[in-house]
Amino acid sequence: MGRNNKLAFVLLFILAFDYFGLETVFCTTVSYDHRALVIDGKRRVLQSGSVHYPRSTPEVWPELVRKSKEGGLDVIETYVFWNNHEPVQGQYYFEGRFDLVRFVKTVQEAGLFVHLRIGPYACAEWNYGGFPMWLHFNPGVQFRTTNEIFKQAMKSFLTKIVELMKEEKLFATQGGPIILAQVENEYGNVEWAYGTGGELYVQWAAETAVSLNTTVPWVMCAQQDAPDPIINTCNGFYCDQFTPNSPSKPKMWTENYPGWFLAFGYPIPYRPVQDLAFAVARFFETGGTFQNYYMYFGGTNFGRTAGGPLVATSYDYDAPIDEYGFIRQPKWGHLRDLHKAIKLCEEYLISSDPSYQQLGINLEAHVYYKSSNDCAAFLANFDSKSDANVTFNGNVYFLPAWSVSILPDCKNVIFNTAMVVSQRHIDDGSSDRKTRTTIVNQLSSATSSWSWYEENVGAWSNSSFKASSLLEQINTTKDTSDYLWYTTSVNGQEKEASLLIESLGHAAMVFVNKEFVGFGYGNHDEANFSFAKEITLNEGSNTLDMLSMMVGVQNYGPWFDIAGAGLFSVALIDLNSSKSDLSSAEWTYQVGLEGEYLGLYEVSLANSSLWTQGTSLPINKTLIWYKVSFLPPEGKGPLALNLSSMGKGQVWVNGQSIGRYWSAYLSPSTGCVENCDYRGSYDSSKCVKNCGQPVQTLYHIPRSWVHPGENLLVLHEDLGGDPSKISVQTKTGQEICSIVSEVDPPPADSFKPNMESHMYQIPQVRLSCERGWHISSINFASFGIPKGNCGTFSPGSCHSDVSSIIQEACIGQGECSIGVSTSILGDPCPGMIKNLAIEALCTA
């Protein structure tokens, strides 16, 4: 065809699409230069957040994406989880929580972009890092190096995902939302362990990715040697000092941690929002144009998807949206305000490189110019102790320690990272507050409604087998179960002996002559453990049974794919200190528990005669299954199962596994601080809470997994607990509060370019409830100098009760705002700086 004929054909084709009511595809180009990603020819400043589709359910994906967008995000990032998409080699699964296409389209419908991190290694505290276990058993395979078996499998899966996205027209150039793709993941952290093979593997992975012709840029995170044209990106708590490996690549941050993951036996880590906002502002101040929160919504490790060792079921991550899908304040609100402030600077950030000015010791400014007299500026105080006053462009500005102020016109401060004016949540766990905001249903006060099934100790079927050595657990179970029985016989010539066991992890229960004698376990950082116990033997033959337990397969580290588990040494020491090594004795092995094999968690067995029922419920008993029917609390929100009365095990609702629990594993009693100072560098151990307590007692049940009427709950308990004290609860409200000063910055979205002074605007208290809830009461409202903190406010020496003003503005509303000004609230103490403090209740 000639050029004119081609153009006419294209126009006719587009008109035909419109005429027949078909969807018109608007192609988008995505490239990059040294400053930013370039979308449709325009540089973009992008805020991104991780939301992993399998850690929630399709029913709540739209709500999570909506809250992400309202929080100021432009992009949703997710890994792709190979082990769940290809559970058997060559057999693929993309349904339910693993419907990747539906998730990407959900993001697209909200008008956001997608960063698809195909990997296919994910890490992500996900079981085996996302690798399928079948790959481990392919003869001759070596992971993440120049091994042809591994490379063929990896390329096959990469191709599968890319082709699936192309078929569904989901790449940006096809009119879809995917603007970025990632190959591999944090390989630069472990590349040293693979030598030359690692270097060659990086080259191969990059070439393979590019050859798939996604038509959008590829990235490699934490990969300083990422070959062109792959963009190398930064992962960490701070990335302001990061520099790409080529002057032609933009400065991008793919993992910014708003908290940290939970592990059984550890306290709960959290990250103050002032420090998180400081890290983000510093990144954009110093030339960054794309940053991603890992995680923005963490969610739940349902089933046995949690990685190892000992990663907890909750993947809350102290993220801006909590595990249950509720907004976490003030983190979500403060970051939303930050994103608004940065967005107001976007045209400046994409127009030039930053100009640096030193303002003093640990004080500096970075200025972005569109023209010589048109600029935006970031003023930073990165001293961890001292506040400062700085002079910039002839004006004096106050900078709290460890903070950044944003001036979209080089004059007016519209945001400071240390000054939190967004609303907060009151959640101190006190009984009166829970009564107002939570419905709690005891599963059953009558023990006769419970049924149970007791596991036998040791081998339970003819599928058991023997070996004259201690076998490594993962190679034996193939990760079909967390459990492996090791059984042997010993001759008791002396009554007393010491039993010594060494294990690669993660835990083990020990029985002598079918009687429980002890329990050993490791932790997330040191999964291996030793177990020593004085035992009593009978004369003649004695049976030793040890139930070795996995708590998630290793997901990170060099050569993590061959990290082992299970027992590797068993010995007896008699009274004469003579050691008898049993490691090479004849051992009988049984994979899994009998209850797993029978499928006791299945709804179809709810009325089976396998279950025992009676008036005396066995409690605090090892290796027992429990079953009960329950009525869920009314409402539409998610449910939480309180398992604080239980020990260790797994739990199912209507046949769906909601994960592992380990309430008996307490964190160390020391190390927590009541008020963690946000100033100074953060790491995952700096700010922790819940010392001396289990890391998790509440377990998420998605509302879509239950139905009106009776629902089935099944637990397998390892160590012993009291199921009669289990309860299920749902959230029906939230107590909120806010305190804003007359001298705080006005809201960022009230700023208008070319405004003479942003300070002519007034600060505001803004209150909002979850969608569908409304403000039902104002519990405290004072303008003056109130005492205390959120949840404990009381009138101070200067006080004006402004409850009537706040009630008029807010009662019955889903959200409201009140200006913090004497012209609105009166002046109870002229000449003094006053605060407006409010406590309110949101209810459904």
Side-chain angles (χ1 to χ4, degrees):
M1 278 188 196
R3 180 175 176 182
N4 291 337
N5 288 339
K6 286 182 180 179
L7 178 60
F9 177 78
V10 170
L11 290 172
L12 180 63
F13 185 74
I14 292 174
L15 286 171
F17 259 68
D18 287 340
Y19 180 82
F20 291 108
L22 301 177
E23 180 182 356
T24 304
V25 176
F26 298 96
C27 293
T28 300
T29 61
V30 185
S31 59
Y32 65 84
D33 62 19
H34 80 287
R35 282 295 295 128
L37 291 178
V38 180
I39 301 176
D40 280 344
K42 181 178 176 63
R43 290 174 177 169
R44 292 294 304 273
V45 171
L46 299 171
Q47 305 288 352
S48 174
S50 296
V51 178
H52 295 162
Y53 52 100
R55 285 177 159 140
S56 60
T57 58
E59 292 78 10
V60 300
W61 289 345
E63 184 75 357
L64 296 174
V65 174
R66 178 186 67 81
K67 289 177 177 178
S68 300
K69 183 176 182 178
E70 290 177 359
L73 298 193
D74 308 290
V75 184
I76 298 295
E77 175 274 341
T78 186
Y79 283 121
V80 178
F81 297 90
W82 186 4
N83 56 349
N84 292 94
H85 288 306
E86 193 177 2
V88 177
Q89 189 166 12
Q91 297 180 21
Y92 296 98
Y93 182 80
F94 291 97
E95 298 179 17
R97 298 188 349 261
F98 296 94
D99 191 340
L100 175 60
V101 168
R102 179 177 174 181
F103 178 75
V104 173
K105 288 183 175 179
T106 299
V107 177
Q108 182 180 24
E109 288 165 4
L112 299 182
F113 296 122
V114 170
H115 177 198
L116 196 65
R117 304 175 79 184
I118 306 173
Y121 167 63
C123 181
E125 291 70 57
W126 192 263
N127 197 55
Y128 211 33
F131 284 133
M133 188 55 67
W134 54 258
L135 185 59
H136 174 77
F137 293 98
N138 279 3
V141 73
Q142 287 184 313
F143 286 20
R144 305 177 83 192
T145 188
T146 50
N147 176 273
E148 290 304 318
I149 299 168
F150 176 77
K151 290 195 296 182
Q152 182 178 353
M154 174 173 162
K155 183 176 182 179
S156 175
F157 185 72
L158 281 171
T159 302
K160 174 70 178 179
I161 298 302
V162 169
E163 291 305 312
L164 178 62
M165 297 300 103
K166 287 181 179 180
E167 289 169 12
E168 297 290 336
K169 295 181 170 49
L170 294 176
F171 284 108
T173 51
Q174 301 174 293
I178 302 173
I179 59 169
L180 282 172
Q182 179 176 299
V183 65
E184 249 295 336
N185 185 59
E186 297 185 319
Y187 189 71
N189 296 344
V190 298
E191 185 177 341
W192 58 269
Y194 297 83
T196 302
E199 297 174 9
L200 295 173
Y201 168 66
V202 170
Q203 291 287 337
W204 171 84
E207 292 167 2
T208 300
V210 172
S211 73
L212 295 174
N213 191 28
T214 60
T215 65
V216 301
W218 285 87
V219 305
M220 281 183 165
C221 65
Q223 194 67 53
Q224 189 59 30
D225 60 348
D228 292 344
I230 307 293
I231 305 170
N232 67 303
T233 65
C234 181
N235 290 358
F237 291 111
Y238 306 93
C239 282
D240 50 289
Q241 299 302 308
F242 170 75
T243 302
N245 64 10
S246 166
S248 65
K249 299 176 183 179
K251 180 174 178 175
M252 298 175 61
W253 190 0
T254 37
E255 291 190 14
N256 175 13
Y257 310 114
W260 202 242
F261 63 87
L262 305 179
F264 291 121
Y266 284 45
I268 297 174
Y270 65 95
R271 188 176 185 185
V273 69
Q274 298 95 324
D275 175 68
L276 179 58
F278 172 77
V280 174
R282 286 285 284 166
F283 178 72
F284 286 97
E285 172 194 351
T286 55
T289 49
F290 179 104
Q291 79 91 25
N292 177 76
Y293 299 101
Y294 185 99
M295 305 290 295
Y296 197 76
F297 162 79
T300 307
N301 293 315
F302 297 113
R304 298 172 58 245
T305 59
L310 282 75
V311 173
T313 296
S314 171
Y315 202 64
D316 181 84
Y317 232 95
D318 197 31
I321 303 174
D322 75 14
E323 178 184 4
Y324 295 85
F326 294 111
I327 286 172
R328 172 176 277 119
Q329 297 284 26
K331 185 164 283 187
W332 184 91
H334 194 52
L335 295 177
R336 173 205 57 200
D337 295 345
L338 169 63
H339 302 154
K340 289 179 179 179
I342 293 172
K343 188 63 69 175
L344 286 168
C345 301
E346 180 171 18
E347 291 302 316
Y348 300 91
L349 293 171
I350 64 175
S351 296
S352 66
D353 293 324
S355 173
Y356 169 79
Q357 296 181 27
Q358 186 170 351
L359 303 177
I361 298 175
N362 295 332
L363 300 165
E364 63 187 24
H366 285 81
V367 185
Y368 290 85
Y369 289 94
K370 279 204 297 185
S371 63
S372 59
N373 59 355
D374 189 9
C375 62
F378 294 75
L379 311 184
N381 178 357
F382 51 95
D383 193 281
S384 61
K385 295 180 180 179
S386 300
D387 300 340
N389 289 303
V390 300
T391 300
F392 173 74
N393 280 0
N395 296 315
V396 177
Y397 298 90
F398 173 68
L399 284 178
W402 206 253
S403 79
V404 176
S405 286
I406 298 176
L407 294 67
D409 58 358
C410 277
K411 181 168 54 178
N412 290 290
V413 174
I414 64 167
F415 184 86
N416 178 272
T417 58
M419 300 171 69
V420 179
V421 298
S422 61
Q423 76 178 40
R424 302 168 186 262
H425 285 166
I426 306 172
D427 188 17
D428 65 359
S430 61
S431 59
D432 61 329
R433 289 207 163 95
K434 283 192 173 181
T435 300
R436 292 198 292 267
T437 61
T438 307
I439 296 176
V440 179
N441 283 8
Q442 288 296 129
L443 293 190
S444 175
S445 58
T447 57
S448 59
S449 63
W450 286 88
S451 301
W452 60 91
Y453 178 89
E454 298 184 36
E455 287 274 345
N456 291 316
V457 174
W460 44 264
S461 81
N462 57 13
S463 64
S464 62
F465 58 94
K466 299 182 184 296
S468 296
S469 63
L470 292 171
L471 300 181
E472 192 278 323
Q473 184 164 347
I474 300 173
N475 287 316
T476 306
T477 66
K478 297 180 171 58
D479 196 35
T480 57
S481 170
D482 284 353
Y483 300 93
L484 177 63
W485 281 106
Y486 293 71
T487 299
T488 194
S489 296
V490 295
N491 188 40
Q493 298 179 353
E494 293 190 21
K495 189 173 183 180
E496 304 294 333
S498 295
L499 177 63
L500 301 177
I501 298 172
E502 300 285 341
S503 173
L504 294 172
H506 302 152
M509 299 176 69
V510 181
F511 299 81
V512 176
N513 294 323
K514 308 302 179 180
E515 296 293 324
F516 178 62
V517 298
F519 179 57
Y521 50 92
N523 60 51
H524 174 70
D525 293 303
E526 294 290 340
N528 57 296
F529 64 91
S530 300
F531 175 87
K533 182 79 173 182
E534 298 294 321
I535 62 172
T536 300
L537 299 174
N538 299 327
E539 186 174 348
S541 180
N542 295 263
T543 302
L544 291 180
D545 295 286
M546 283 150 284
L547 181 60
S548 182
M549 307 170 179
M550 295 282 294
V551 188
V553 183
Q554 184 86 21
N555 60 261
Y556 180 75
W559 302 103
F560 77 87
D561 52 292
I562 57 174
L567 312 185
F568 66 88
S569 175
V570 179
L572 282 175
I573 300 177
D574 62 23
L575 296 177
N576 297 318
S577 299
S578 177
K579 184 176 182 180
S580 175
D581 189 350
L582 304 178
S583 303
S584 299
E586 183 177 75
W587 290 86
T588 299
Y589 293 91
Q590 179 76 66
V591 175
L593 302 172
E594 186 176 21
E596 289 180 303
Y597 173 77
L598 295 171
L600 290 178
Y601 47 84
E602 297 287 355
V603 175
S604 60
L605 290 184
N607 298 314
S608 170
S609 60
L610 292 166
W611 293 100
T612 300
Q613 189 170 12
T615 58
S616 181
L617 175 67
I619 63 172
N620 299 321
K621 185 172 178 57
T622 60
L623 299 182
I624 187 169
W625 294 73
Y626 295 107
K627 173 184 75 73
V628 74
S629 293
F630 71 96
L631 297 174
E634 293 182 0
K636 298 180 180 180
L639 306 175
L641 193 68
N642 190 327
L643 297 177
S644 57
S645 65
M646 302 305 291
K648 175 187 177 296
Q650 299 181 53
V651 59
W652 294 260
V653 171
N654 293 329
Q656 300 254 40
S657 174
I658 65 172
R660 303 181 181 98
Y661 66 88
W662 198 344
S663 307
Y665 199 167
L666 305 184
S667 66
S669 59
T670 60
C672 292
V673 292
E674 186 172 343
N675 294 302
C676 184
D677 190 346
Y678 70 86
R679 300 174 301 177
S681 294
Y682 176 85
D683 61 50
S684 60
S685 63
K686 178 180 178 181
C687 303
V688 294
K689 59 185 179 181
N690 228 44
C691 287
Q693 301 295 320
V695 73
Q696 183 179 1
T697 57
L698 297 179
Y699 288 80
H700 178 206
I701 306 173
R703 177 63 72 163
S704 60
W705 288 9
V706 299
H707 48 256
E710 292 192 341
N711 293 263
L712 178 67
L713 174 72
V714 175
L715 302 97
H716 166 69
E717 173 59 48
D718 293 327
L719 303 176
D722 185 351
S724 69
K725 296 179 180 177
I726 295 174
S727 63
V728 60
Q729 58 193 58
T730 191
K731 195 172 184 179
T732 59
Q734 175 69 61
E735 286 200 279
I736 61 177
C737 65
S738 183
I739 181 167
V740 176
S741 168
E742 290 180 292
V743 295
D744 282 330
D749 56 13
S750 68
F751 174 81
K752 301 292 187 295
N754 303 316
M755 182 181 293
E756 182 64 27
S757 176
H758 183 50
M759 298 312 294
Y760 290 150
Q761 304 293 314
I762 61 173
Q764 295 178 19
V765 165
R766 291 181 171 180
L767 303 178
S768 63
C769 302
E770 291 283 339
R771 177 177 283 190
W773 294 0
H774 64 275
I775 299 171
S776 57
S777 65
I778 302 298
N779 304 324
F780 181 86
S782 173
F783 184 54
I785 309 177
K787 296 187 294 186
N789 298 305
C790 277
T792 61
F793 283 137
S794 62
S797 56
C798 170
H799 163 67
S800 175
D801 186 344
V802 292
S803 297
S804 60
I805 298 174
I806 310 305
Q807 288 169 352
E808 183 178 354
C810 299
I811 293 295
Q813 304 299 314
E815 58 184 30
C816 63
S817 61
I818 306 95
V820 183
S821 167
T822 55
S823 64
I824 298 171
L825 303 171
D827 194 347
C829 41
M832 302 181 69
I833 295 174
K834 291 165 284 293
N835 301 320
L836 174 59
I838 302 173
E839 294 178 359
L841 177 64
C842 292
T843 53

